[in-house]
Amino acid sequence: MGIPYSYSFRNLWTRRLTTILTASGMALVVFVFAVTMMLAEGLRKTLIDTGSYDNVVVIRKGAGSEVQSGVERSQASIVAGQPEVAIGEGGLSLLAKELVVLINLPKRISNKPANVVIRGVGPVSLALRPQVKLVLGRMPRPGSAEVIAGKNVAERFQGGGPGETLRFGMRNWTVVGVFDAGNTGFNSEIWGDVDQLMQAFRRPVYSSVIFRLRDSSGFDSVRERIEHDPRLSLEAKRETRFYADQSEAMTKFLRILGITLTIIFSLGAVIGAMITMYAAVANRTTEIGTLRALGFMRSSILAAFILESLFLGLLGGMVGLFFASFMQLVTISTMNWQTFAELAFGFNLTFEIAWKSLLFSLFMGFAGGLLPAARAAGMNIVAALRST
Amino acid sequence: MNSTVIRPPIVRIRNLTKSYQRGNQNIPVLMDIDFDIADGEFLALMGPSGSGKSTLLNLIAGIDKADTGQIVIGGVDIALLTEAELARWRSTNVGFIFQFYNLIPVLTAFENVELPLLLTALSRKERCEHVETVLRLVNLEERMDHYPSQLSGGQQQRVAIARAIITDPTILVADEPTGDLDRLSAEDILTFIDRLNREFGKTVIMVTHDPRAAEKAHLVRHLEKGVLSDN
């Protein structure tokens, strides 16, 4: 048995102020680390939750997003004729030919303009997205200049609220309803009748065709047929995959940013921990000599000081994670670089982020404690005892 | 007619030398030391500062290495032991009593005394029983949950003595055990060490400057410039 854990733990408690200050430095680093990971995860989750596994999105081959895509009417009709397309109530195909365009709207608070997605939808678009619920007002009447706005648009953009008017496509559009799509990207969109919007924006082609699979296992065959049909230069993706791809660039950027910032900050925190631990070793030289004289091995001394530093790191990690968890209450919006549209999303704390943050804080503790612990373990017993 | 009991030596030292290097200079501290300490002896090592008495004590206790010579304690030539073997040997064979008690400030009296037992195979229950017995012996059973800062100097030294004897070591080494104590506490500690020697047969090797402390010993040896003189 080695030196008891209580020795390491109580030493931290004895020098509380130093412990708190050092752990605060580590907490800050863990906070930054966790928050950026939560941001990336929030974005990824928002975009992934936007899609349904049984829905298929068909866009032009090579187009990264609906904005860049174009599906001709004739092509859309061929897709609509595929046997894998599910049939809904009333015998209607669960398939929507949609248009996606970007417009510029000023924000309510800052008055600064930002891109918003306008989605031209068909009669079954809502049925294809069960997560989208009309929470206020009514659906737009077909053939009218009426739109419904996602919750985030209604809250954040001028003219996006119910009863308000938006001007785009050289027409005025009345917001007749507000929909809530939960934690998904649809909340940052405006929906209107697809034919009216195509006329307004003078678009002869749809952006995408979305349909529900009759049987989820039929995806591969329908994809094969669509992608190899010489009349179609289209590609088909499951909707979940489609939105996951859209989050890729942004989440990668956020992760790299987070990791870069964290590495820079962590150097400071590790040096802080190292200074604290060196001071601890210097103050306890006689204790170290005594423990060695009593028969404790160098490895026990090394372990005791590393454990102390790990405790310090863990404390910082837990505090940092505690404060980072409050960020889940915050929603932010930014431009999704893949679609160039404004997207609102929250910070999402997952179990994986939590354990990675704690592991990172333990690593900082270990890195900060290793050299001082090695110094403690390497001390000559007589010299250590003489430092009384 | 008085009969003299000849006890076998527990410590046998032969041709012991030790020097320190200071820059390019070699400073001899102990020169060709030869002596035995009998089992159950109470020996006081005296001498002026820098005479090498603490160095000799450290060598006997196995916390320092001699340049040449032999130190056989309880049949083991400790000069031949590796560092790890020496650490294990110390944990069972040597009890340390320091001038400044050297208790671990963040551990209670109980935990301080228990420390050497953590290196043994005893169960938690057995360790508890041992610690309580020893603390009772030094009249500190009421203070077992106190931290060193909550105890007087004399009490701290008694905790240190309890820690020194908890493993029932072969020898007790005491380096100026009364050097930091007032007269009354010093007397109390010396009486206690004397009792350990007389009642429990512990071999005690004590370094001291204090002639009153040396009076308690059965045998006093003087060191002068690294050379051991006769009594």
Side-chain angles (χ1 to χ4, degrees):
Chain A
M1 195 186 238
I3 296 165
Y5 301 142
S6 54
Y7 173 75
S8 305
F9 184 72
R10 284 188 211 157
N11 268 305
L12 285 177
W13 179 247
T14 303
R15 45 170 220 275
R16 286 184 285 279
L17 184 64
T18 321
T19 299
I20 289 168
L21 290 175
T22 313
S24 301
M26 293 197 180
L28 186 68
V29 179
V30 171
F31 178 83
V32 172
F33 177 79
V35 162
T36 45
M37 294 299 119
M38 284 162 69
L39 198 58
E41 181 57 25
L43 175 69
R44 196 187 70 83
K45 190 172 184 303
T46 298
L47 284 173
I48 285 176
D49 285 355
T50 303
S52 304
Y53 186 71
D54 288 342
N55 284 356
V56 177
V57 178
V58 182
I59 54 171
R60 181 173 57 78
K61 211 169 255 179
S65 67
E66 288 171 290
V67 177
Q68 298 161 334
S69 168
V71 179
E72 287 173 20
R73 286 174 187 272
S74 60
Q75 293 176 326
S77 299
I78 294 169
V79 173
Q82 299 299 316
E84 285 83 0
V85 177
I87 306 295
E89 286 172 25
L92 270 176
S93 290
L94 284 178
L95 177 138
K97 300 163 187 171
E98 297 186 345
L99 173 78
V100 171
V101 285
L102 291 176
I103 61 158
N104 219 255
L105 287 180
K107 288 187 179 178
R108 281 193 198 278
I109 297 172
S110 63
N111 206 31
K112 284 183 181 164
N115 286 345
V116 173
V117 169
I118 303 285
R119 185 179 291 275
V121 294
V124 298
S125 287
L126 206 60
L128 282 168
R129 280 101 177 194
Q131 72 271 42
V132 180
K133 303 266 187 302
L134 193 71
V135 288
L136 211 65
R138 57 173 176 80
M139 289 297 287
R141 280 189 296 257
S144 69
E146 292 176 346
V147 290
I148 52 172
K151 205 163 150 253
N152 291 334
V153 174
E155 283 168 7
R156 290 164 185 267
F157 288 90
Q158 291 177 21
E164 293 182 302
T165 304
L166 293 163
R167 173 125 190 118
F168 56 83
M170 292 182 292
R171 281 165 73 172
N172 288 326
W173 303 77
T174 309
V175 180
V176 294
V178 174
F179 62 87
D180 184 1
N183 187 28
T184 71
F186 293 127
N187 259 351
S188 304
E189 293 184 355
I190 295 169
W191 288 10
D193 179 69
V194 65
D195 295 319
Q196 290 300 310
L197 287 165
M198 282 174 86
Q199 275 178 27
F201 287 103
R202 292 180 171 74
R203 296 286 175 98
V205 293
Y206 298 110
S207 301
S208 60
V209 177
I210 290 106
F211 65 87
R212 170 82 44 83
L213 286 166
R214 190 190 293 266
D215 177 0
S216 188
S217 62
F219 172 70
D220 286 336
S221 58
V222 74
R223 181 177 61 87
E224 192 79 5
R225 210 173 308 117
I226 289 171
E227 293 186 356
H228 290 95
D229 191 324
R231 298 166 295 173
L232 310 172
S233 53
L234 303 176
E235 61 179 320
K237 289 180 181 178
R238 283 196 191 269
E239 202 179 24
T240 43
R241 179 74 254 159
F242 174 75
Y243 284 108
D245 288 348
Q246 297 215 335
S247 71
E248 208 170 307
M250 192 76 170
T251 50
K252 195 182 271 180
F253 168 75
L254 285 172
R255 286 209 172 98
I256 291 170
L257 177 77
I259 289 166
T260 310
L261 276 177
T262 308
I263 287 172
I264 295 167
F265 283 5
S266 67
L267 284 177
V270 166
I271 290 168
M274 210 177 273
I275 292 168
T276 303
M277 290 308 295
Y278 267 126
V281 170
N283 288 334
R284 292 184 352 234
T285 305
T286 314
E287 278 175 48
I288 295 162
T290 307
L291 289 166
R292 295 269 289 114
L294 292 178
F296 287 96
M297 305 273 188
R298 289 187 194 277
S299 54
S300 296
I301 305 288
L302 186 83
F305 276 90
I306 285 182
L307 188 69
E308 192 169 321
S309 192
L310 287 175
F311 272 141
L312 198 59
L314 187 65
L315 182 67
M318 284 178 358
V319 171
L321 207 54
F322 174 75
F323 284 107
S325 69
F326 286 104
M327 292 302 287
Q328 290 179 107
L329 305 173
V330 177
T331 302
I332 61 160
S333 69
T334 188
M335 190 166 75
N336 182 359
W337 296 344
Q338 218 106 4
T339 59
F340 301 106
E342 186 79 1
L343 180 71
F345 55 98
F347 294 81
N348 192 26
L349 179 60
T350 62
F351 180 70
E352 190 187 349
I353 292 173
W355 75 252
K356 276 185 179 168
S357 301
L358 291 179
L359 199 69
F360 180 64
S361 66
L362 286 172
F363 170 74
M364 283 194 292
F366 179 77
L370 187 62
L371 289 178
R375 173 186 274 191
M379 276 180 185
N380 174 282
I381 303 176
V382 175
L385 288 172
R386 275 201 190 125
S387 74
T388 306
Chain B
M1 197 174 89
N2 287 337
S3 65
T4 308
V5 179
I6 305 213
R7 288 166 297 178
I10 190 89
V11 180
R12 185 188 289 272
I13 295 170
R14 294 289 177 271
N15 308 318
L16 189 72
T17 60
K18 174 76 182 172
S19 58
Y20 289 116
Q21 202 73 28
R22 190 171 293 161
N24 293 330
Q25 239 188 332
N26 192 48
I27 301 163
V29 183
L30 295 173
M31 285 173 283
D32 212 20
I33 304 285
D34 261 309
F35 80 112
D36 292 345
I37 302 169
D39 190 13
E41 185 65 271
F42 186 168
L43 169 76
L45 281 172
M46 296 193 78
S49 295
S51 59
K53 52 190 190 305
S54 287
T55 303
L56 181 58
L57 192 75
N58 291 340
L59 290 170
I60 295 170
I63 57 172
D64 205 354
K65 283 273 186 187
D67 295 342
T68 59
Q70 207 181 32
I71 305 170
V72 180
I73 299 172
V76 178
D77 185 350
I78 62 168
L80 302 177
L81 299 180
T82 63
E83 191 181 273
E85 287 168 342
L86 202 54
R88 271 191 290 275
W89 176 83
R90 278 197 306 271
S91 68
T92 51
N93 290 283
V94 187
F96 288 90
I97 304 168
F98 300 98
Q99 180 178 359
F100 299 107
Y101 336 122
N102 288 22
L103 298 177
I104 307 298
V106 296
L107 301 182
T108 61
F110 181 97
E111 289 164 335
N112 265 288
V113 176
E114 190 191 18
L115 267 178
L117 292 184
L118 297 176
L119 296 163
T120 67
L122 292 180
S123 68
R124 191 185 170 85
K125 190 168 171 274
E126 287 168 324
R127 291 202 304 268
C128 277
E129 285 166 6
H130 277 61
V131 174
E132 280 167 14
T133 306
V134 173
L135 280 172
R136 207 171 300 125
L137 192 71
V138 295
N139 297 323
L140 280 175
E141 69 268 39
E142 305 290 320
R143 303 286 179 117
M144 61 170 70
D145 294 326
H146 286 56
Y147 287 92
S149 59
Q150 297 167 321
L151 300 171
S152 70
Q155 287 171 330
Q156 287 188 57
Q157 195 60 301
R158 275 193 277 153
V159 173
I161 291 172
R163 182 180 66 185
I165 60 173
I166 188 86
T167 54
D168 191 21
T170 313
I171 54 170
L172 279 178
V173 294
D175 194 353
E176 301 277 8
T178 57
D180 195 47
L181 297 174
D182 60 71
R183 199 167 163 178
L184 215 62
S185 301
E187 190 59 38
D188 180 42
I189 291 300
L190 287 170
T191 307
F192 202 83
I193 293 174
D194 186 44
R195 197 181 145 207
L196 288 173
N197 174 255
R198 286 180 192 282
E199 283 183 32
F200 298 94
K202 291 280 143 214
T203 305
V204 180
I205 307 158
M206 177 175 71
V207 162
T208 185
H209 274 111
D210 183 1
R212 274 191 301 269
E215 273 173 23
K216 293 277 181 188
H218 307 156
L219 185 66
V220 179
R221 300 296 300 265
H222 289 268
L223 266 166
E224 191 89 37
K225 292 181 180 168
V227 178
L228 197 65
S229 61
D230 288 335
N231 192 4

